[in-house]
Amino acid sequence: MAEKKYLIKQVSIFSENKPGRLAAIAHALEEAGVNILAFSIAEANGFGVVRALVNKPDLAHKTLTDLGFMVSFTDVIAVAMRDEPGGLFEIARILGEAGINIEYSYAYSGKDGAVLILRVDQVEEGVEKILAAGGALLDVSLFQ
Amino acid sequence: MPVEELKRLQYRLLKTLVYRLYSFSDFYHARMREANVHPDDIRTLDDVTRLPFMYKHDLRDNYPDHLFTATQDELVRYHVSSGTTGKPTVVGYTANDLENWTASLARSLTACGLGRGDVMQVSYGYGLFTGGLGMHYGAERIGATVLPSSTGNTERQIELMQDLHVTAIACTPSYLVHIGETAERMGVSIKDDTDLRIGVLGAEPWSEAMRTMLQDSLGIRVYDIYGTSELSGPMFTECTEQNGIHIWGDLAYPEIIDPETGESLPAGEKGELVMTVLKKEALPMIRYRVGDVTVLDDEPCACGRTAPRIMRIQGRVDDMLIVRGINVFPSQVEHTLMEIPEVVGSAFQIVVDRKGALDSMLVRVEMSPEAFSDKITDLMQMKAKVAHTLKSSLNVAAQVELMAPGALPRFEGKAQRVIDRRVY
């Protein structure tokens, strides 16, 4: 399955909403020599979820789990985005027209331009549609 | 009544009760056989300690009416407890039971200085809860005019309090605080704009500090009232001395025991209250372990009454909490959480706070690792599910805080699951 190489293992960490939690996560990853490539925090009433793309997801998972954090892996895709007006629209439209729902996303500025990280409800179909529409997906090997 | 005479009366009533129950109640007959005690062994009032205890679970195990010693023809009313720890308990009343209950409260209200000419607003809930109807009939009996306002619609309660020249109110202490705050918002001073002079407060624990606060801010005198549905309902109050709740000796015989050993404790020592209701017909109570912790004072009261007094309730022997007037047992919270696969039922923490006049309860739960989703909507749904399940099982709303597994403290001995930050 060709799409497999586009599935990137994102590390998701549950965090109670209190001072020092993010520092503890970041410090642990530093100690383990894990580099954070892209990152977001989603917050709700009383808790948050830290989502990160890291260069060594398995090591990050183990390190944080050992410290008592709740950690899980989620498959996300990374789409190269034109870094100009309309870049986001292009991608969002492809998925919207295909009836694929974006569950969450965050963007970061990659080495070679803007990158949109997406969690979608039908990941393989999403990959297919983006490629078919001429979009560019980043290969997992670029991250991990 | 002189103490010696009262004790003779109590002995006679106890002896009659024990004979009656040994003969007619399968439950008490079996209990007394087990305890190897026969009615003939009761030769003095002190022999009461030979009789076996009765527990709340006895009522639950015999749901709904298997402990009743009155027939359907003789029953004139039922009340039902909230049932927060499982099955509710049903209490039945014969006409005499209602009469004794009413008489008990009539005496209590008289001791608080109420009578003909008073207008009493009964702001306890009416219905299955014993507070409203119990107080209603007690107040009518002393010739007071009753305003059966029940709970809720506070602004209207305050208007009626003014329009109908209410002089006394019966409600929970926290509701009276709420009334005071609401009145202030409405621009009404309870002290200056109403005729209110007495509050009869109970159904939840409260303190001397709360009494001082209420008396000072509202310009009234407030009295503590005691009772539980098993004893009929609210039955006993303080007198105008405000120094303990008088237990009318011809109706009930109180004891204080060590909750661990069951041994009787002398007056002045703190322990679990055990009550024998001397004249109960439909649902007799011999040595019922109420579970409330208090101190008995049998010294004559400055008011002249010889009935012994119990001091303000200092806590519970079990871990029961009262939140917004509802009994909440941490064990029930645990039981409920155990049924929810998304959370670790054995690890939780209950935090109770008081915001304004209202209690708020927060339950911290650890989610199970399998249930963790990194989608906020999934987590919010899980939180809502836990809150909803707790609400339907406890009958009181709980905020829920999700924690990571292992985030809450673990205990080797007795778990400290409750953080009660309420200041009464």
mmCIF file with all atom_site columns, all heavy atoms in Angstrom, chain B residues 67-83:
data_model
loop_
_atom_site.group_PDB
_atom_site.id
_atom_site.type_symbol
_atom_site.label_atom_id
_atom_site.label_alt_id
_atom_site.label_comp_id
_atom_site.label_asym_id
_atom_site.label_entity_id
_atom_site.label_seq_id
_atom_site.pdbx_PDB_ins_code
_atom_site.Cartn_x
_atom_site.Cartn_y
_atom_site.Cartn_z
_atom_site.occupancy
_atom_site.B_iso_or_equiv
_atom_site.pdbx_formal_charge
_atom_site.auth_seq_id
_atom_site.auth_comp_id
_atom_site.auth_asym_id
_atom_site.auth_atom_id
_atom_site.pdbx_PDB_model_num
ATOM 1   N N   . LEU B 1 67 ? -39.986 -5.166 57.222 1.00 0.00 ? 67 LEU B N   1
ATOM 2   C CA  . LEU B 1 67 ? -39.801 -4.981 58.670 1.00 0.00 ? 67 LEU B CA  1
ATOM 3   C C   . LEU B 1 67 ? -41.024 -4.346 59.319 1.00 0.00 ? 67 LEU B C   1
ATOM 4   O O   . LEU B 1 67 ? -41.054 -4.162 60.532 1.00 0.00 ? 67 LEU B O   1
ATOM 5   C CB  . LEU B 1 67 ? -38.573 -4.101 58.935 1.00 0.00 ? 67 LEU B CB  1
ATOM 6   C CG  . LEU B 1 67 ? -37.221 -4.672 58.515 1.00 0.00 ? 67 LEU B CG  1
ATOM 7   C CD1 . LEU B 1 67 ? -36.096 -3.742 58.942 1.00 0.00 ? 67 LEU B CD1 1
ATOM 8   C CD2 . LEU B 1 67 ? -37.016 -6.055 59.129 1.00 0.00 ? 67 LEU B CD2 1
ATOM 9   N N   . PHE B 1 68 ? -42.026 -4.024 58.519 1.00 0.00 ? 68 PHE B N   1
ATOM 10  C CA  . PHE B 1 68 ? -43.200 -3.352 59.077 1.00 0.00 ? 68 PHE B CA  1
ATOM 11  C C   . PHE B 1 68 ? -43.940 -4.277 60.036 1.00 0.00 ? 68 PHE B C   1
ATOM 12  O O   . PHE B 1 68 ? -44.099 -5.463 59.775 1.00 0.00 ? 68 PHE B O   1
ATOM 13  C CB  . PHE B 1 68 ? -44.173 -2.920 57.965 1.00 0.00 ? 68 PHE B CB  1
ATOM 14  C CG  . PHE B 1 68 ? -43.705 -1.721 57.170 1.00 0.00 ? 68 PHE B CG  1
ATOM 15  C CD1 . PHE B 1 68 ? -42.405 -1.250 57.263 1.00 0.00 ? 68 PHE B CD1 1
ATOM 16  C CD2 . PHE B 1 68 ? -44.586 -1.061 56.329 1.00 0.00 ? 68 PHE B CD2 1
ATOM 17  C CE1 . PHE B 1 68 ? -41.977 -0.159 56.529 1.00 0.00 ? 68 PHE B CE1 1
ATOM 18  C CE2 . PHE B 1 68 ? -44.172 0.042  55.588 1.00 0.00 ? 68 PHE B CE2 1
ATOM 19  C CZ  . PHE B 1 68 ? -42.870 0.485  55.684 1.00 0.00 ? 68 PHE B CZ  1
ATOM 20  N N   . THR B 1 69 ? -44.376 -3.707 61.145 1.00 0.00 ? 69 THR B N   1
ATOM 21  C CA  . THR B 1 69 ? -45.185 -4.487 62.078 1.00 0.00 ? 69 THR B CA  1
ATOM 22  C C   . THR B 1 69 ? -46.609 -3.939 62.113 1.00 0.00 ? 69 THR B C   1
ATOM 23  O O   . THR B 1 69 ? -47.321 -4.099 63.090 1.00 0.00 ? 69 THR B O   1
ATOM 24  C CB  . THR B 1 69 ? -44.561 -4.459 63.496 1.00 0.00 ? 69 THR B CB  1
ATOM 25  O OG1 . THR B 1 69 ? -44.262 -3.117 63.836 1.00 0.00 ? 69 THR B OG1 1
ATOM 26  C CG2 . THR B 1 69 ? -43.314 -5.296 63.551 1.00 0.00 ? 69 THR B CG2 1
ATOM 27  N N   . ALA B 1 70 ? -46.991 -3.255 61.052 1.00 0.00 ? 70 ALA B N   1
ATOM 28  C CA  . ALA B 1 70 ? -48.384 -2.804 60.925 1.00 0.00 ? 70 ALA B CA  1
ATOM 29  C C   . ALA B 1 70 ? -48.919 -3.371 59.618 1.00 0.00 ? 70 ALA B C   1
ATOM 30  O O   . ALA B 1 70 ? -48.158 -3.591 58.669 1.00 0.00 ? 70 ALA B O   1
ATOM 31  C CB  . ALA B 1 70 ? -48.452 -1.282 60.888 1.00 0.00 ? 70 ALA B CB  1
ATOM 32  N N   . THR B 1 71 ? -50.186 -3.621 59.568 1.00 0.00 ? 71 THR B N   1
ATOM 33  C CA  . THR B 1 71 ? -50.775 -4.125 58.335 1.00 0.00 ? 71 THR B CA  1
ATOM 34  C C   . THR B 1 71 ? -51.092 -2.948 57.410 1.00 0.00 ? 71 THR B C   1
ATOM 35  O O   . THR B 1 71 ? -51.091 -1.797 57.839 1.00 0.00 ? 71 THR B O   1
ATOM 36  C CB  . THR B 1 71 ? -52.087 -4.876 58.615 1.00 0.00 ? 71 THR B CB  1
ATOM 37  O OG1 . THR B 1 71 ? -53.018 -3.929 59.183 1.00 0.00 ? 71 THR B OG1 1
ATOM 38  C CG2 . THR B 1 71 ? -51.879 -6.015 59.593 1.00 0.00 ? 71 THR B CG2 1
ATOM 39  N N   . GLN B 1 72 ? -51.366 -3.285 56.183 1.00 0.00 ? 72 GLN B N   1
ATOM 40  C CA  . GLN B 1 72 ? -51.707 -2.255 55.201 1.00 0.00 ? 72 GLN B CA  1
ATOM 41  C C   . GLN B 1 72 ? -52.863 -1.374 55.687 1.00 0.00 ? 72 GLN B C   1
ATOM 42  O O   . GLN B 1 72 ? -52.839 -0.168 55.526 1.00 0.00 ? 72 GLN B O   1
ATOM 43  C CB  . GLN B 1 72 ? -52.084 -2.948 53.882 1.00 0.00 ? 72 GLN B CB  1
ATOM 44  C CG  . GLN B 1 72 ? -52.269 -2.002 52.718 1.00 0.00 ? 72 GLN B CG  1
ATOM 45  C CD  . GLN B 1 72 ? -50.971 -1.301 52.347 1.00 0.00 ? 72 GLN B CD  1
ATOM 46  O OE1 . GLN B 1 72 ? -49.999 -1.942 51.992 1.00 0.00 ? 72 GLN B OE1 1
ATOM 47  N NE2 . GLN B 1 72 ? -50.969 0.012  52.445 1.00 0.00 ? 72 GLN B NE2 1
ATOM 48  N N   . ASP B 1 73 ? -53.838 -2.005 56.338 1.00 0.00 ? 73 ASP B N   1
ATOM 49  C CA  . ASP B 1 73 ? -54.997 -1.257 56.858 1.00 0.00 ? 73 ASP B CA  1
ATOM 50  C C   . ASP B 1 73 ? -54.586 -0.190 57.856 1.00 0.00 ? 73 ASP B C   1
ATOM 51  O O   . ASP B 1 73 ? -55.226 0.850  57.968 1.00 0.00 ? 73 ASP B O   1
ATOM 52  C CB  . ASP B 1 73 ? -55.947 -2.193 57.626 1.00 0.00 ? 73 ASP B CB  1
ATOM 53  C CG  . ASP B 1 73 ? -56.664 -3.128 56.695 1.00 0.00 ? 73 ASP B CG  1
ATOM 54  O OD1 . ASP B 1 73 ? -56.416 -3.010 55.474 1.00 0.00 ? 73 ASP B OD1 1
ATOM 55  O OD2 . ASP B 1 73 ? -57.465 -3.959 57.176 1.00 0.00 ? 73 ASP B OD2 1
ATOM 56  N N   . GLU B 1 74 ? -53.522 -0.491 58.591 1.00 0.00 ? 74 GLU B N   1
ATOM 57  C CA  . GLU B 1 74 ? -53.132 0.421  59.668 1.00 0.00 ? 74 GLU B CA  1
ATOM 58  C C   . GLU B 1 74 ? -52.203 1.538  59.198 1.00 0.00 ? 74 GLU B C   1
ATOM 59  O O   . GLU B 1 74 ? -52.028 2.528  59.883 1.00 0.00 ? 74 GLU B O   1
ATOM 60  C CB  . GLU B 1 74 ? -52.424 -0.370 60.784 1.00 0.00 ? 74 GLU B CB  1
ATOM 61  C CG  . GLU B 1 74 ? -53.343 -1.352 61.473 1.00 0.00 ? 74 GLU B CG  1
ATOM 62  C CD  . GLU B 1 74 ? -52.582 -2.376 62.300 1.00 0.00 ? 74 GLU B CD  1
ATOM 63  O OE1 . GLU B 1 74 ? -51.499 -2.833 61.859 1.00 0.00 ? 74 GLU B OE1 1
ATOM 64  O OE2 . GLU B 1 74 ? -53.068 -2.725 63.384 1.00 0.00 ? 74 GLU B OE2 1
ATOM 65  N N   . LEU B 1 75 ? -51.582 1.339  58.013 1.00 0.00 ? 75 LEU B N   1
ATOM 66  C CA  . LEU B 1 75 ? -50.642 2.350  57.517 1.00 0.00 ? 75 LEU B CA  1
ATOM 67  C C   . LEU B 1 75 ? -51.400 3.549  56.974 1.00 0.00 ? 75 LEU B C   1
ATOM 68  O O   . LEU B 1 75 ? -52.389 3.386  56.249 1.00 0.00 ? 75 LEU B O   1
ATOM 69  C CB  . LEU B 1 75 ? -49.779 1.774  56.398 1.00 0.00 ? 75 LEU B CB  1
ATOM 70  C CG  . LEU B 1 75 ? -48.781 0.695  56.795 1.00 0.00 ? 75 LEU B CG  1
ATOM 71  C CD1 . LEU B 1 75 ? -48.100 0.132  55.551 1.00 0.00 ? 75 LEU B CD1 1
ATOM 72  C CD2 . LEU B 1 75 ? -47.745 1.239  57.757 1.00 0.00 ? 75 LEU B CD2 1
ATOM 73  N N   . VAL B 1 76 ? -50.946 4.738  57.332 1.00 0.00 ? 76 VAL B N   1
ATOM 74  C CA  . VAL B 1 76 ? -51.591 5.926  56.794 1.00 0.00 ? 76 VAL B CA  1
ATOM 75  C C   . VAL B 1 76 ? -50.657 6.774  55.936 1.00 0.00 ? 76 VAL B C   1
ATOM 76  O O   . VAL B 1 76 ? -51.096 7.715  55.287 1.00 0.00 ? 76 VAL B O   1
ATOM 77  C CB  . VAL B 1 76 ? -52.214 6.806  57.903 1.00 0.00 ? 76 VAL B CB  1
ATOM 78  C CG1 . VAL B 1 76 ? -53.355 6.089  58.585 1.00 0.00 ? 76 VAL B CG1 1
ATOM 79  C CG2 . VAL B 1 76 ? -51.160 7.218  58.921 1.00 0.00 ? 76 VAL B CG2 1
ATOM 80  N N   . ARG B 1 77 ? -49.371 6.451  55.966 1.00 0.00 ? 77 ARG B N   1
ATOM 81  C CA  . ARG B 1 77 ? -48.452 7.210  55.091 1.00 0.00 ? 77 ARG B CA  1
ATOM 82  C C   . ARG B 1 77 ? -47.149 6.453  54.884 1.00 0.00 ? 77 ARG B C   1
ATOM 83  O O   . ARG B 1 77 ? -46.746 5.643  55.706 1.00 0.00 ? 77 ARG B O   1
ATOM 84  C CB  . ARG B 1 77 ? -48.119 8.579  55.694 1.00 0.00 ? 77 ARG B CB  1
ATOM 85  C CG  . ARG B 1 77 ? -47.507 9.509  54.649 1.00 0.00 ? 77 ARG B CG  1
ATOM 86  C CD  . ARG B 1 77 ? -46.964 10.804 55.192 1.00 0.00 ? 77 ARG B CD  1
ATOM 87  N NE  . ARG B 1 77 ? -47.957 11.636 55.807 1.00 0.00 ? 77 ARG B NE  1
ATOM 88  C CZ  . ARG B 1 77 ? -47.634 12.671 56.595 1.00 0.00 ? 77 ARG B CZ  1
ATOM 89  N NH1 . ARG B 1 77 ? -46.366 12.962 56.817 1.00 0.00 ? 77 ARG B NH1 1
ATOM 90  N NH2 . ARG B 1 77 ? -48.579 13.405 57.139 1.00 0.00 ? 77 ARG B NH2 1
ATOM 91  N N   . TYR B 1 78 ? -46.520 6.752  53.744 1.00 0.00 ? 78 TYR B N   1
ATOM 92  C CA  . TYR B 1 78 ? -45.153 6.304  53.478 1.00 0.00 ? 78 TYR B CA  1
ATOM 93  C C   . TYR B 1 78 ? -44.276 7.523  53.258 1.00 0.00 ? 78 TYR B C   1
ATOM 94  O O   . TYR B 1 78 ? -44.717 8.514  52.673 1.00 0.00 ? 78 TYR B O   1
ATOM 95  C CB  . TYR B 1 78 ? -45.056 5.515  52.173 1.00 0.00 ? 78 TYR B CB  1
ATOM 96  C CG  . TYR B 1 78 ? -45.718 4.169  52.149 1.00 0.00 ? 78 TYR B CG  1
ATOM 97  C CD1 . TYR B 1 78 ? -46.708 3.890  51.211 1.00 0.00 ? 78 TYR B CD1 1
ATOM 98  C CD2 . TYR B 1 78 ? -45.306 3.153  53.011 1.00 0.00 ? 78 TYR B CD2 1
ATOM 99  C CE1 . TYR B 1 78 ? -47.302 2.644  51.147 1.00 0.00 ? 78 TYR B CE1 1
ATOM 100 C CE2 . TYR B 1 78 ? -45.908 1.898  52.949 1.00 0.00 ? 78 TYR B CE2 1
ATOM 101 C CZ  . TYR B 1 78 ? -46.908 1.647  52.020 1.00 0.00 ? 78 TYR B CZ  1
ATOM 102 O OH  . TYR B 1 78 ? -47.482 0.420  51.958 1.00 0.00 ? 78 TYR B OH  1
ATOM 103 N N   . HIS B 1 79 ? -43.028 7.453  53.682 1.00 0.00 ? 79 HIS B N   1
ATOM 104 C CA  . HIS B 1 79 ? -41.990 8.357  53.185 1.00 0.00 ? 79 HIS B CA  1
ATOM 105 C C   . HIS B 1 79 ? -40.861 7.472  52.675 1.00 0.00 ? 79 HIS B C   1
ATOM 106 O O   . HIS B 1 79 ? -40.691 6.338  53.138 1.00 0.00 ? 79 HIS B O   1
ATOM 107 C CB  . HIS B 1 79 ? -41.469 9.291  54.289 1.00 0.00 ? 79 HIS B CB  1
ATOM 108 C CG  . HIS B 1 79 ? -42.356 10.471 54.530 1.00 0.00 ? 79 HIS B CG  1
ATOM 109 N ND1 . HIS B 1 79 ? -42.420 11.531 53.658 1.00 0.00 ? 79 HIS B ND1 1
ATOM 110 C CD2 . HIS B 1 79 ? -43.227 10.759 55.536 1.00 0.00 ? 79 HIS B CD2 1
ATOM 111 C CE1 . HIS B 1 79 ? -43.288 12.421 54.122 1.00 0.00 ? 79 HIS B CE1 1
ATOM 112 N NE2 . HIS B 1 79 ? -43.800 11.979 55.264 1.00 0.00 ? 79 HIS B NE2 1
ATOM 113 N N   . VAL B 1 80 ? -40.102 7.985  51.721 1.00 0.00 ? 80 VAL B N   1
ATOM 114 C CA  . VAL B 1 80 ? -39.036 7.196  51.114 1.00 0.00 ? 80 VAL B CA  1
ATOM 115 C C   . VAL B 1 80 ? -37.763 8.033  51.075 1.00 0.00 ? 80 VAL B C   1
ATOM 116 O O   . VAL B 1 80 ? -37.788 9.195  50.672 1.00 0.00 ? 80 VAL B O   1
ATOM 117 C CB  . VAL B 1 80 ? -39.429 6.760  49.680 1.00 0.00 ? 80 VAL B CB  1
ATOM 118 C CG1 . VAL B 1 80 ? -38.343 5.865  49.076 1.00 0.00 ? 80 VAL B CG1 1
ATOM 119 C CG2 . VAL B 1 80 ? -40.762 6.021  49.681 1.00 0.00 ? 80 VAL B CG2 1
ATOM 120 N N   . SER B 1 81 ? -36.668 7.421  51.511 1.00 0.00 ? 81 SER B N   1
ATOM 121 C CA  . SER B 1 81 ? -35.387 8.149  51.500 1.00 0.00 ? 81 SER B CA  1
ATOM 122 C C   . SER B 1 81 ? -34.843 8.214  50.082 1.00 0.00 ? 81 SER B C   1
ATOM 123 O O   . SER B 1 81 ? -35.317 7.514  49.184 1.00 0.00 ? 81 SER B O   1
ATOM 124 C CB  . SER B 1 81 ? -34.383 7.455  52.412 1.00 0.00 ? 81 SER B CB  1
ATOM 125 O OG  . SER B 1 81 ? -33.877 6.310  51.756 1.00 0.00 ? 81 SER B OG  1
ATOM 126 N N   . SER B 1 82 ? -33.801 9.022  49.903 1.00 0.00 ? 82 SER B N   1
ATOM 127 C CA  . SER B 1 82 ? -33.298 9.259  48.543 1.00 0.00 ? 82 SER B CA  1
ATOM 128 C C   . SER B 1 82 ? -32.635 8.033  47.920 1.00 0.00 ? 82 SER B C   1
ATOM 129 O O   . SER B 1 82 ? -32.559 7.913  46.709 1.00 0.00 ? 82 SER B O   1
ATOM 130 C CB  . SER B 1 82 ? -32.313 10.426 48.562 1.00 0.00 ? 82 SER B CB  1
ATOM 131 O OG  . SER B 1 82 ? -31.286 10.153 49.486 1.00 0.00 ? 82 SER B OG  1
ATOM 132 N N   . GLY B 1 83 ? -32.152 7.107  48.744 1.00 0.00 ? 83 GLY B N   1
ATOM 133 C CA  . GLY B 1 83 ? -31.608 5.867  48.185 1.00 0.00 ? 83 GLY B CA  1
ATOM 134 C C   . GLY B 1 83 ? -30.274 6.036  47.491 1.00 0.00 ? 83 GLY B C   1
ATOM 135 O O   . GLY B 1 83 ? -30.012 5.408  46.470 1.00 0.00 ? 83 GLY B O   1
#
